[in-house]
Amino acid sequence: MSIQQEVVEAAVRARSAARVLALATRAEKDAVLTALAEALVTHETSVLAANAEDVERARSDGTSAGIVDRLRLDPARILAMADGLRQLVALPDPVGEVVRGDTLANGLELRQVRVPFGVVGMIYEARPNVTVDAAGICLKSGNAVLLRGSSSARSSNRALVEVIREAVQVFGLPADVVQLVPGDTHESVKALMRARGLVDVLIPRGGAGLIRSVVEESTVPVIETGVGNCHVYVDRAADLDQALEIVINSKTQRTSVCNAAESLLVHADVADVFVPRVVAALQEAGVRIHGDETFATHQGVLPATDEDWATEYLDLDIAAAVVPDIDAAIDHVMRWSTGHTEAIVTTDLTAARRFTAEVDAAAVLVNASTRFTDGGEFGFGAEIGISTQKLHARGPMGLTEMTSTKYVVTGDGQLR
Amino acid sequence: MSIQQEVVEAAVRARSAARVLALATRAEKDAVLTALAEALVTHETSVLAANAEDVERARSDGTSAGIVDRLRLDPARILAMADGLRQLVALPDPVGEVVRGDTLANGLELRQVRVPFGVVGMIYEARPNVTVDAAGICLKSGNAVLLRGSSSARSSNRALVEVIREAVQVFGLPADVVQLVPGDTHESVKALMRARGLVDVLIPRGGAGLIRSVVEESTVPVIETGVGNCHVYVDRAADLDQALEIVINSKTQRTSVCNAAESLLVHADVADVFVPRVVAALQEAGVRIHGDETFATHQGVLPATDEDWATEYLDLDIAAAVVPDIDAAIDHVMRWSTGHTEAIVTTDLTAARRFTAEVDAAAVLVNASTRFTDGGEFGFGAEIGISTQKLHARGPMGLTEMTSTKYVVTGDGQLR
């Protein structure tokens, strides 16, 4: 059987499993998640053994230390996955929530009710914890999930999915609500992208290249996640001490993530005072600055090109420019933003109102680190990714964002 | 300049006009809509003259009387368009609504606020009133719109868009918030579908072929609308008089629309009594029945094939079958449904609960005509189409569905 056929058959099984899962009560789903959290800890040895295979293979393939580290599981990381599942148990079930309701003039009772999507396809890279997080969020939101992890994590993913499927079955739900997509070549990704009618939504999580290719090639609806070319704009009315801390925190607290800052804009009126300070502080933190003419007069600052304004470095690099006014700042952001997170530092209410109204992004922050755009930080309790598209969900996606709705209309013989 | 370039340039103009429109207040937008309603009536003569050209061209091309009728405008239809705009004025502005809000533990103030998409692309067939309806809904929801009507309505659409742009400009908004897409070949549709990053969402409205091609080829996010292979299931516990009325109303009240019934399922326990009655009533109403073996024993009933179960007739035709139980009814619906509207007629609460829970469609109706799935009937006041997809919007789409959201987060120096 071809990979394409195998994926289609997995999707057909997922679809029929999803019909059962959609009717499960919150109590049933929470019981599965609780048991699964325990099972992960019980099966620690076998999961770690499988993971060791992946780590060994990656090492001998000469994979970079950073990626090997993202691949590696240890008892603490397994506990963290289990904790994540327990947090899901504590969250309300989105399924069945009445979003809108009314009794119409003719007596019809109208309710808009949250329902699961059905079958969710996840395409993701490296980190095996995504396997458990995604399965947990999909289970709680009543969706069957097809997991297409990266080949580098295949042993870990197989071991984890085995534990998950066992826990699901114990509670009388079909194991096929969680499946690893067969095949780890591009063939299987392609098959998922063409499974329109079988897969309800595809969520790619990973590098910009992966996401772009899925968005462009998929006929299944896609929720685009994560590319973040995030800016911090330091306004003329900024508290400059606060601005310095926000820039450093946004850039350096963790560099490999989508909500890290990649560009700095400084209002010309405060450039004389602020630019030397921020250059020194960034350089002290080990950040390479790619600057415009003003920034480039400082020792060690590299001259920026248009490519720098467009780049999500995901590293200790930042692009930096001085702008004549807030209009130029907003124009620059609107030109280069990927629509993820944009921040302004200002004490001027008019500037804050303009920036938050005119900048078109999933999250616009005033006087806070860009690193706050995150489901956990926002208090959503769980996150399956951060949407940078405008359709369906925008920003951190929790359980609610993994649902659709259905109108249920009840009458006693109404005709038009 | 190629059509492709022309469309891209129109989209670039729409994008920059959208930035202005996004900041317009409700009062400003309502003033435009009110003025536009008046302007339509004032310009009646020129609009009707343009429409006469389209009607004449269609006639001489040998277009069917039905389509010529959909194309034709008259003073009453122009008044109806103007009324639609006045109804929009009465509806609240979705932009700026705070959907969710919280103060986080660290003092950050989080608000999820409704914002316009930006640029909406409409691809639609025949009826020129869609031009005004879509422009009105997009204006009120703060979106610029690119209108790609059918070539058969080109003179009418040009005249209408001219009136709209004039009204927009009088109030200091850029005329380019409403534009007709240049070119009326498939080239311009193709260019719209590839304008990712310039167009935020495409809404195709029309036949199944048009919608399928847009869904499959577009890299711009699409909201799929309208194909409705709607079923009425008459349960064993149905009030059979009521069932008869609901079947006839669902099938015949208007046949060319997506929420008309196309299939009838009857529980075996009531088949002996109900099938003869419903066959007689349908035939009396001029409906051709494509039936299974039970139905086919009746005079004049054509034998149904799988194609009948799959067909959206949009005409005086219905597919009809007897099912052994509610499970078979649900299975049949789930196999052939297009996810638009499905109805059960029953007095049994358990059956009603099962059908509404297990049938996966935009609207599931109990004891009411399928014809109620409609933005106007649901009380939304305006409708730009009925979504049959699960992402973003499902069912009738009003103003709210034409928006995205943005998180606005305000702090005083919070760091992670």
Side-chain angles (χ1 to χ4, degrees):
Chain A
M1 191 158 48
S2 72
I3 289 292
Q4 202 255 338
Q5 281 173 306
E6 281 187 56
V7 173
V8 167
E9 293 200 0
V12 168
R13 288 195 303 272
R15 193 129 211 98
S16 102
R19 277 179 68 177
V20 179
L21 180 62
L23 303 175
T25 60
R26 171 175 179 178
E28 287 164 340
K29 293 184 286 189
D30 285 350
V32 172
L33 293 170
T34 306
L36 176 53
E38 280 162 32
L40 279 178
V41 179
T42 320
H43 291 77
E44 188 189 285
T45 321
S46 63
V47 169
L48 290 181
N51 181 250
E53 287 173 29
D54 288 333
V55 170
E56 188 41 45
R57 192 175 347 99
R59 269 215 198 102
S60 68
D61 289 354
T63 309
S64 77
I67 292 179
V68 171
D69 179 61
R70 294 176 95 173
L71 196 55
R72 186 184 289 111
L73 293 177
D74 57 29
R77 286 185 174 175
I78 288 183
L79 274 182
M81 290 193 259
D83 274 350
L85 294 171
R86 289 197 189 93
Q87 281 168 30
L88 282 173
V89 171
L91 293 174
D93 188 345
V95 175
E97 186 199 345
V98 178
V99 177
R100 159 152 73 177
D102 210 348
T103 302
L104 306 181
N106 57 7
L108 279 179
E109 289 169 18
L110 176 76
R111 286 180 300 141
Q112 186 183 15
V113 182
R114 277 202 190 288
V115 295
F117 280 128
V119 179
V120 174
M122 285 284 299
I123 303 173
Y124 55 106
E125 292 172 346
R127 287 185 292 173
N129 65 304
V130 174
T131 304
V132 173
D133 292 354
I137 290 181
C138 287
L139 277 170
K140 179 90 185 202
S141 56
N143 293 294
V145 65
L146 292 168
L147 297 161
R148 170 54 170 79
S150 66
S151 56
S152 62
R154 63 171 168 255
S155 303
S156 316
N157 288 342
R158 251 182 235 144
L160 289 168
V161 166
E162 205 173 298
V163 176
I164 297 168
R165 288 168 61 94
E166 216 178 283
V168 166
Q169 265 177 316
V170 167
F171 288 86
L173 287 171
D176 284 335
V177 295
V178 180
Q179 293 178 74
L180 264 193
V181 172
D184 48 19
T185 61
H186 188 66
E187 275 303 284
S188 63
V189 173
K190 229 165 150 175
L192 269 184
M193 296 193 297
R194 296 281 144 184
R196 193 174 173 86
L198 289 173
V199 177
D200 292 292
V201 56
L202 268 188
I203 306 179
R205 255 183 83 167
L210 166 71
I211 292 166
R212 195 169 42 243
S213 92
V214 173
V215 161
E216 281 177 9
E217 291 172 43
S218 182
T219 57
V220 171
V222 173
I223 301 182
E224 197 180 343
T225 67
V227 177
N229 183 17
C230 308
H231 298 73
V232 177
Y233 163 58
V234 178
D235 187 46
R236 65 188 294 183
D239 171 334
L240 295 182
D241 294 334
Q242 194 181 84
L244 196 70
E245 288 188 322
I246 287 173
V247 171
I248 298 297
N249 187 266
S250 298
K251 179 64 253 181
T252 68
Q253 199 256 346
R254 201 168 157 202
T255 56
S256 64
V257 289
C258 57
N259 58 14
E262 307 290 5
S263 276
L264 166 66
L265 301 172
V266 177
H267 192 291
D269 289 3
V270 292
D272 281 353
V273 183
F274 190 67
V275 170
R277 284 185 67 189
V278 78
V279 166
L282 284 166
Q283 290 180 337
E284 200 189 336
V287 178
R288 285 169 297 276
I289 304 169
H290 308 259
D292 68 349
E293 309 84 59
T294 310
F295 274 90
T297 59
H298 290 265
Q299 186 77 35
V301 172
L302 306 160
T305 64
D306 267 4
E307 214 190 306
D308 289 299
W309 311 128
T311 299
E312 188 191 23
Y313 298 110
L314 298 173
D315 209 337
L316 284 168
D317 289 87
I318 196 165
V322 170
V323 289
D325 51 31
I326 189 174
D327 296 275
I330 292 171
D331 284 343
H332 181 105
V333 169
M334 290 301 285
R335 174 153 181 213
W336 300 107
S337 171
T338 54
H340 191 295
T341 298
E342 307 300 348
I344 181 174
V345 187
T346 191
T347 59
D348 176 7
L349 183 58
T350 306
R353 275 175 61 100
R354 278 202 58 193
F355 194 84
T356 54
E358 295 181 34
V359 167
D360 190 24
V364 185
L365 277 59
V366 181
N367 299 330
S369 169
T370 57
R371 292 277 293 117
F372 282 109
T373 305
D374 172 273
E377 294 293 327
F378 278 9
F380 301 169
E383 179 190 291
I384 201 162
I386 295 177
S387 163
T388 52
Q389 70 179 31
K390 295 184 189 170
L391 224 56
H392 185 73
R394 200 178 192 198
M397 294 187 287
L399 291 170
T400 305
E401 286 74 19
M402 296 305 289
T403 61
S404 181
T405 63
K406 171 200 279 189
Y407 287 98
V408 176
V409 186
T410 309
D412 50 7
Q414 278 81 355
L415 308 174
R416 268 185 85 175
Chain B
M1 191 157 47
S2 72
I3 290 292
Q4 202 255 337
Q5 282 173 304
E6 281 187 56
V7 173
V8 167
E9 293 199 1
V12 168
R13 288 194 302 271
R15 192 128 213 98
S16 101
R19 278 180 67 177
V20 180
L21 181 61
L23 301 175
T25 60
R26 171 175 179 179
E28 287 163 342
K29 293 184 287 189
D30 285 350
V32 172
L33 293 170
T34 306
L36 176 53
E38 281 162 31
L40 278 177
V41 179
T42 320
H43 291 77
E44 189 188 286
T45 320
S46 63
V47 169
L48 289 181
N51 181 250
E53 289 174 28
D54 288 333
V55 169
E56 187 42 46
R57 191 173 349 97
R59 269 216 197 101
S60 69
D61 289 354
T63 308
S64 78
I67 292 179
V68 171
D69 179 62
R70 296 175 92 174
L71 196 55
R72 185 183 292 111
L73 294 177
D74 56 29
R77 286 184 176 177
I78 288 183
L79 273 183
M81 290 193 260
D83 274 350
L85 293 171
R86 290 197 189 93
Q87 281 167 29
L88 281 174
V89 171
L91 293 174
D93 187 344
V95 175
E97 186 199 344
V98 177
V99 177
R100 160 150 74 176
D102 209 348
T103 302
L104 306 180
N106 58 8
L108 279 178
E109 290 169 20
L110 177 77
R111 286 180 300 142
Q112 185 182 15
V113 183
R114 275 203 192 288
V115 295
F117 280 128
V119 178
V120 173
M122 285 286 300
I123 303 173
Y124 56 104
E125 292 173 344
R127 286 187 291 174
N129 66 304
V130 175
T131 303
V132 173
D133 292 353
I137 290 181
C138 287
L139 277 170
K140 178 91 185 203
S141 55
N143 293 293
V145 65
L146 293 168
L147 297 162
R148 170 56 171 80
S150 67
S151 56
S152 63
R154 64 171 168 256
S155 303
S156 316
N157 288 341
R158 250 183 236 146
L160 290 168
V161 166
E162 205 173 299
V163 176
I164 297 169
R165 287 167 60 95
E166 215 177 285
V168 166
Q169 264 178 315
V170 167
F171 288 85
L173 287 171
D176 284 335
V177 296
V178 180
Q179 293 178 73
L180 263 193
V181 172
D184 50 17
T185 61
H186 188 65
E187 275 304 283
S188 63
V189 173
K190 228 164 152 178
L192 268 184
M193 296 194 295
R194 297 282 145 185
R196 195 175 171 85
L198 289 173
V199 177
D200 292 293
V201 57
L202 268 188
I203 305 178
R205 256 182 82 168
L210 166 72
I211 292 166
R212 195 169 44 242
S213 92
V214 173
V215 162
E216 279 176 10
E217 291 172 43
S218 181
T219 58
V220 171
V222 173
I223 300 182
E224 197 180 342
T225 67
V227 177
N229 183 14
C230 308
H231 297 75
V232 176
Y233 164 57
V234 178
D235 188 46
R236 66 189 292 184
D239 170 333
L240 295 182
D241 294 335
Q242 195 181 83
L244 196 70
E245 287 187 321
I246 287 174
V247 170
I248 299 298
N249 187 265
S250 299
K251 178 65 252 179
T252 67
Q253 198 256 345
R254 200 167 159 204
T255 55
S256 64
V257 288
C258 56
N259 58 15
E262 306 291 5
S263 274
L264 165 66
L265 301 173
V266 177
H267 192 291
D269 289 4
V270 292
D272 281 355
V273 184
F274 190 68
V275 170
R277 284 186 65 190
V278 79
V279 166
L282 283 167
Q283 289 179 338
E284 199 189 335
V287 179
R288 286 169 296 275
I289 304 170
H290 308 258
D292 69 351
E293 310 82 60
T294 310
F295 275 90
T297 58
H298 292 265
Q299 185 77 35
V301 172
L302 308 159
T305 64
D306 267 5
E307 213 189 306
D308 288 300
W309 311 128
T311 299
E312 187 190 24
Y313 298 111
L314 298 173
D315 209 338
L316 284 169
D317 288 88
I318 196 164
V322 171
V323 289
D325 51 30
I326 189 174
D327 296 274
I330 292 171
D331 285 342
H332 182 106
V333 170
M334 290 299 285
R335 174 152 182 214
W336 301 107
S337 171
T338 54
H340 191 295
T341 298
E342 307 300 348
I344 182 174
V345 186
T346 190
T347 60
D348 175 7
L349 184 57
T350 307
R353 277 175 59 100
R354 277 201 60 194
F355 195 84
T356 54
E358 296 179 34
V359 167
D360 191 23
V364 186
L365 277 59
V366 181
N367 299 331
S369 169
T370 57
R371 292 276 295 120
F372 283 109
T373 304
D374 172 273
E377 293 294 328
F378 279 8
F380 302 169
E383 179 189 292
I384 199 162
I386 294 177
S387 163
T388 52
Q389 69 179 33
K390 296 184 189 172
L391 225 57
H392 185 73
R394 201 176 191 200
M397 294 187 289
L399 291 171
T400 305
E401 286 73 21
M402 295 305 288
T403 61
S404 182
T405 63
K406 171 200 282 190
Y407 286 99
V408 176
V409 186
T410 310
D412 50 6
Q414 279 80 353
L415 308 175
R416 271 185 82 176

